[in-house]
Amino acid sequence: MKNNYIIYLENIETIYEGEKLPVIQNINLKIKSGEFIAIIGPNGAGKTTLLETINGLLPYTSGKGFVYGKEVIKNKLDIRKETGYLIQNFEIDPQTPFLCKDIVMSGRSGKIGIFKLTTKKDWEKVWYSMGLVGMIDFANRPVGKLSGGEFQKILLARVLAQQPRILLLDEPFSNLDFTSKIQIETLLNRIHEKHNITVVIVSHDLSFVPSSCDRIIVMEKGHIIMDDAKENILSSEKIDNIFQNGVLK
Amino acid sequence: MISLPWFIILPSIIGAILAGFACSTMGAFVVRMNLASIGVAMSHAAFAGAAFGVMMGFDPTITAIIFSFGTALVIGPLAEKARLQSNIIIGFIFSIMIALAFIFLNYAPGEAAKGSALNILWGNILYIDFNDSLLLLFLSFFVMIFIFVFYKELISLLFNRKLAEASGINTKIFYFSILFLTGFAVALSLKLVGGLLVFALIINPTSTAYQFFYDYKKILIFSPLIGIISCLIGFYLSLMVDFPIGASIVIVTTIFFAIAIYVSPKRYKGN
Ligand SMILES: Nc1ncnc2c1ncn2[C@@H]1O[C@H](COP(=O)(O)OP(=O)(O)OP(=O)(O)O)[C@@H](O)[C@H]1O
Ligand SMILES: [Mg+2]
């Protein structure tokens, strides 16, 4: 039953506007509340497309999709308010005239609700999540002046400030140095355990699947080709054809 | 120096302040959201609309609003989905609207109408009447309330539309609200600044503010401030040396912009 799953996709197919061929097809994906999932696959496999289909940024062209038991097509805004989405390789102009704290607050802008002003409580959430990613000192700095990794952490703080039920993270470790990777991995593990958030991360790197992750989905050419417990995937032979020493061929 | 009694000057000064406020506040959205080309198209449509009003003997402010809204309705959705490139919008709409405006003005009946036609082209301080100022006042209030009530949504949208959409904001409503408010500001300021130059009052003050600040809140405050000051100085110049008011205001905004680029700590190229 679709109500037993926090994300429930049935025979989903997504075609980009103006294109003829679907980028992802026959997607059947059932995720229970509180799962920690990694989606891996080569460039162009359709990982980003899948994430954006889940939160309704891209409309699916056939099949059925439910998130929180609500049909995605009809409840996009409600679903997104409860779903944090970290965009892959988001680039900004160094002159961008926005302060980090305002960007982090903007994560809550939908959730707070229309006709409501931001309150002290909202700001506390902002400070708290900036603290979690270790970026509290950057609150009043312009976002354009950050390094790639620092900006990545601000974007992560932005989705954490939203206090979502589901976190969709597209390559959260890209741009991060080794220390920051460990730091963010630990953070994700902790948030997942403490708040029982459902986490879906997209990653290139098999060696960097967070320890809390219990299930791995492998995508290739728009299809889900494997979907199993982490240990099974990591020990499967098929995976060696796609990865070499944990890194994509 | 032209000397005029205060009861003629005062409504015009108020009109100038409000036009500066409304246009330059909307500019802060237009510049950041890359709406410049659609804004140019809308302001020239407003110009053609005003010319149409003069030809038909209607209130040009009303027809200007109708034309610029029509343009927003037609090309807004196309520009939104990036189905229409901005140079096409400029090249096509801009030229057709100017052509239409000149045809309408050519057929304006009688001397009085010819006079209003020129006012619409160049702007005229004394052409702003009580009703226009009242409408501008309403618009300015409305814009202030709009920004105050929807501040968090607007900041989110101004930073990045896709991120705003992803956090659950209905960005389409805000996109079109901003287009229509810009259309209003342009149409109501047309008589003061003139149809050919009104768009400079939208773009220049924000581009000037952009040179100095890294915090959008400050751009939202300083952009209208620079707009108002430009309008007042332009107004004064126009009285002192008998410049056409529109040209005079636009030259002031351009000088501010040039100085800003020169002294800017950011050296931002503007838009
Ligand atoms: N806006 C678009 N219009 C048309 N096709 C697109 C668009 N965006 C992506 N695609 C196509 O969809 C396919 C899947 O893209 P997607 O971004 O989902 O891949 P990905 O698995 O996230 O890859 P990567 O690892 O490089 O991020 C690609 O072949 C790409 O060419
Ligand atoms: Mg991707």
Side-chain angles (χ1 to χ4, degrees), chain A residues 98-109 112 116-132 136 138-141 154 157-158 160-163, chain B residues 151-153 155-156 215 217:
Chain A
F98 291 87
L99 304 180
C100 289
K101 61 177 182 193
D102 293 327
I103 299 311
V104 174
M105 176 59 100
S106 79
R108 295 186 63 76
S109 56
I112 293 170
K116 295 214 179 79
L117 304 182
T118 52
T119 61
K120 217 173 151 187
K121 277 220 172 82
D122 294 311
W123 282 109
E124 277 162 17
K125 308 259 158 59
V126 167
W127 305 133
Y128 182 68
S129 56
M130 290 187 91
L132 284 179
I136 197 89
F138 290 71
N140 287 306
R141 295 264 290 267
I154 288 295
R158 181 184 179 277
L160 295 181
Q162 190 183 344
Q163 295 186 298
Chain B
Y151 185 73
K152 67 180 189 306
E153 284 90 354
I155 286 290
S156 184
D215 178 355
K217 190 190 252 169

Side-chain angles (χ1 to χ4, degrees), chain B residues 110-122:
Chain B
E111 279 312 304
K114 287 262 180 339
S116 343
L118 277 184
N119 289 338
I120 283 167
L121 207 51
W122 307 125

